[in-house]
Amino acid sequence: MRNVVITGASRGIGAACAEAFSKNGDRVFIIFEKNYAAAKKISEKTGGILIRADVSDSAAAAAAVKYIHDSFGKIDVLVNNAGIAQIKVFGDITEQDWDRMFAVNAKGTFLMTKVVLPDMINKKRGKIVNISSIWGQTGGSCEVHYSASKAAVIGFTKALAKELGPSGICVNCVAPGFIDTEMNAELDDKAVEAVCEEIPLERAGTVEDVAKTVIFLASDAADYITGQVVAVNGGLFI
Ligand code: NAP
C-alpha cells in the first residue's frame, strides 16, 4: 500500500485528492491547519490519518513527517496542495499579506518537500505533485502576491525535477484554472458566470477534475513525466 501525504486536505481540491487516492487503495495522510471538523469528515470518508500542521512552520512540517515515518515507515507520494488566496489591488497588499502568502504557498511547499525528500532519495523512488495555479502562469489582476507565489511553485517544480531526476523522483505541477471551491466563495453568481464565459469548456472545473490529474501524475503511468506543468483549466489559458 502506498502512503500518500496531501497538504490542505480538509477541503476543496485536497479533500478530493484524499478521496481519489483512497479509492485507489492508497493510505492517505490528511494534513490540515484549522478546520478540524471538515478534516474529520474526510478522514471518516477515506480512512485517512489526520495530522494538524501549519505547512509554513518548519517544526510542524518536520513533526508531521517524522510521525508518518516512525509509524508507517515511508512516504511514496507528496501532494503540496495547501494554499491561501487573497483578492486585493496591488496598493493595498501589505508586507504581512505578502509574507503570509509566500509562507504558505511557496515556503510550505519547500518545507514539506525538504522533510519528505531524504527518504525518497534513499529509496530512489517517489512522486511529488505541487499545486500551482493558472495565475502563476498568466498573472491574475488584483492577485499579485498570490500569482507571484504560484509562479514560484512552478520554478520550484522545474528546478527540483532536474535535480532529482537521477534519484528516480518525479516532480510535477498542476495548474488549475477556475475551480469551484471555498477559495472562490467571495465571487457572486454574476462574477462566476463572467469567468465561465471565458472558458472554452464553458464551466468551472470541479475538484475531481484536478484530483484525477494529480492521481495520474502520482501513478506509474506518469513514470516518464517530470518537471511539467499540467494545466487543468478547461482551456482558459492555452
Ligand atoms: P480551499 O478550499 O480554500 O482549501 C485550502 C486548504 O489548504 C484547506 O484544507 C486548508 O486547511 C489548507 N491550508 C491553508 N493554509 C494552510 C497551512 N498554513 N497549513 C496547512 N494547511 C493549510 O482551497 P482549494 O480551492 O481547494 O485550493 C487548493 C489548492 O489549489 C491551493 O494551493 C490553491 O491555491 C490551488 N488552486 C485553487 C484554485 C481554485 O480555483 N479553487 C485554482 C488554482 C489553484 P484548513 O481547512 O484546515 O484551514
Side-chain angles (χ1 to χ4, degrees):
M1 183 185 261
R2 295 190 310 175
N3 288 337
V4 178
V5 177
I6 307 160
T7 68
S10 55
R11 300 181 276 125
I13 291 168
C17 289
E19 287 190 44
F21 278 108
S22 146
K23 275 191 195 135
N24 208 32
D26 299 314
R27 181 189 285 120
V28 294
F29 295 86
I30 297 163
I31 311 262
F32 70 103
E33 187 196 14
K34 297 191 184 96
N35 204 328
Y36 175 72
K40 191 160 173 277
K41 266 194 204 156
I42 300 302
S43 156
E44 285 164 0
K45 246 187 181 171
T46 61
I49 291 135
L50 283 185
I51 304 176
R52 188 194 287 266
D54 176 350
V55 294
S56 70
D57 174 342
S58 57
V65 169
K66 183 175 183 321
Y67 163 73
I68 298 168
H69 277 143
D70 289 352
S71 312
F72 298 91
K74 58 164 186 161
I75 293 170
D76 302 283
V77 178
L78 169 65
V79 182
N80 282 310
N81 163 79
I84 55 171
Q86 187 180 48
I87 296 177
K88 270 194 177 183
V89 295
F90 182 72
D92 287 349
I93 296 172
T94 64
E95 187 179 347
Q96 285 83 356
D97 291 335
W98 179 274
D99 285 348
R100 189 62 192 152
M101 193 63 74
F102 270 75
V104 178
N105 295 358
K107 187 178 164 195
T109 298
F110 162 73
L111 290 175
M112 285 300 296
T113 304
K114 198 161 171 64
V115 286
V116 164
L117 261 186
D119 185 58
M120 283 186 176
I121 290 172
N122 275 340
K123 296 200 164 75
K124 281 198 155 268
R125 192 169 172 74
K127 303 267 188 191
I128 298 172
V129 183
N130 300 318
I131 308 299
S132 176
S133 164
I134 187 172
W135 303 136
Q137 298 176 294
T138 68
S141 170
C142 299
E143 296 191 74
V144 168
H145 51 343
Y146 178 75
S147 302
S149 72
K150 290 297 184 179
V153 170
I154 292 175
F156 175 94
T157 300
K158 292 182 176 182
L160 195 64
K162 287 184 180 173
E163 195 169 320
L164 293 179
S167 299
I169 297 162
C170 295
V171 189
N172 288 292
C173 188
V174 176
F178 181 67
I179 310 298
D180 185 16
T181 71
E182 284 173 39
M183 193 168 264
N184 293 313
E186 273 182 46
L187 301 178
D188 61 21
D189 287 353
K190 258 195 166 170
V192 171
E193 220 172 274
V195 180
C196 290
E197 271 173 22
E198 300 297 317
I199 300 173
L201 290 180
E202 297 183 318
R203 65 171 175 87
T206 64
V207 290
E208 290 78 18
D209 289 324
V210 182
K212 279 187 267 190
T213 306
V214 174
I215 287 278
F216 166 68
L217 289 172
S219 76
D220 293 351
D223 273 352
Y224 199 55
I225 299 175
T226 197
Q228 302 305 309
V229 181
V230 181
V232 182
N233 65 23
L236 183 55
F237 167 61
I238 294 175

